[in-house]
Amino acid sequence: MNSTDFLHASFRSRACRMAERGFTLVSAIFLLVVLAALGAAIVTVSTTQHTASALDVLGAQAYQAARAGTEWGLYQYRSNPAAYCNNAATPDTRTFALPAGTALSGFSVTVTCTYTPFGGATIPAQPTDSITYDTATNVATVTTEAPHGLGPGYRIVMSGAGPAGFNGSYLVDSILSPTTFTYFPAVSPGGDATVQGIFTASAASLDRRQIIAVACNQPAGSGCPNASARMDYVERQVQVEF
């Protein structure tokens, strides 16, 4: 091999080594990019799962907070029905934060109670033709001469009947015919009526109230819901009717 051939071989060998080093560098960069993308994907999935888990916990707490709101509303009505949820024109709305130091302390609840009167007619006083009593079922069956005009859910006030166990305010249990209905006396009269009574009736028992409690972890100035809350905003709603 002369000097010229030697130089050519040397150049070719150096070029091959440089090409190999270039390929190795490209491969290393490619692997780094793939590993970086894989790591970013793992971090994203982990973050998403953690966020979803945290939101699930907040959602469960918000639901319990909303339930607490409905129970609060029911208590307000049961304890003072004359002062709470009795205005058909204006719903009764209250917003409050749940007590500090509890699992629900980060939530506020807006409780709205809406009153809808039935508006049924009051039935004037009517005499009874007969009142029988079934001691086995505690059912009093009333028969009238004229159609009584009652319906399910009506409340009667019976007076003047004897025995006195027939008298009082009762919900109508069933309508057997236009002139016959039943109810459950609070005190057993012991037998059929020996003295006929007089009853009045109204449909006031068909009035309806609806309580909606909305709980959230980021209340607005007027309470929950909050349309301009952050991404981690959680809201739950519970509704009851009676």
Side-chain angles (χ1 to χ4, degrees), residues 14 17-18 127 135:
R14 182 179 300 176
R17 288 196 298 271
M18 291 179 64
T135 56

Side-chain angles (χ1 to χ4, degrees), residues 147-161:
H148 48 63
L150 300 175
Y154 274 65
R155 179 175 292 276
I156 65 164
V157 177
M158 183 71 70
S159 61

Side-chain angles (χ1 to χ4, degrees), residues 36 60 94 99 159-160 182 199 242:
R94 316 281 180 91
S159 61
T182 65
F199 70 92
F242 59 98

Side-chain angles (χ1 to χ4, degrees), residues 70 72-94 111-117 207-212 240-242:
T70 59
W72 178 89
L74 289 170
Y75 173 78
Q76 297 302 312
Y77 178 74
R78 298 301 184 192
S79 61
N80 194 358
Y84 182 76
C85 200
N86 273 311
N87 189 339
T90 305
D92 196 317
T93 301
R94 316 281 180 91
V111 182
T112 302
C113 185
T114 304
Y115 167 55
T116 305
D207 290 353
R208 289 291 177 264
R209 287 171 174 82
Q210 180 188 71
I211 295 178
I212 298 177
V240 296
E241 295 185 9
F242 59 98

Side-chain angles (χ1 to χ4, degrees), residues 158-185:
M158 183 71 70
S159 61
F166 287 112
N167 299 324
S169 176
Y170 305 105
L171 285 174
V172 173
D173 176 60
S174 63
I175 305 298
L176 302 181
S177 75
T179 58
T180 309
F181 65 91
T182 65
Y183 69 94
F184 295 102

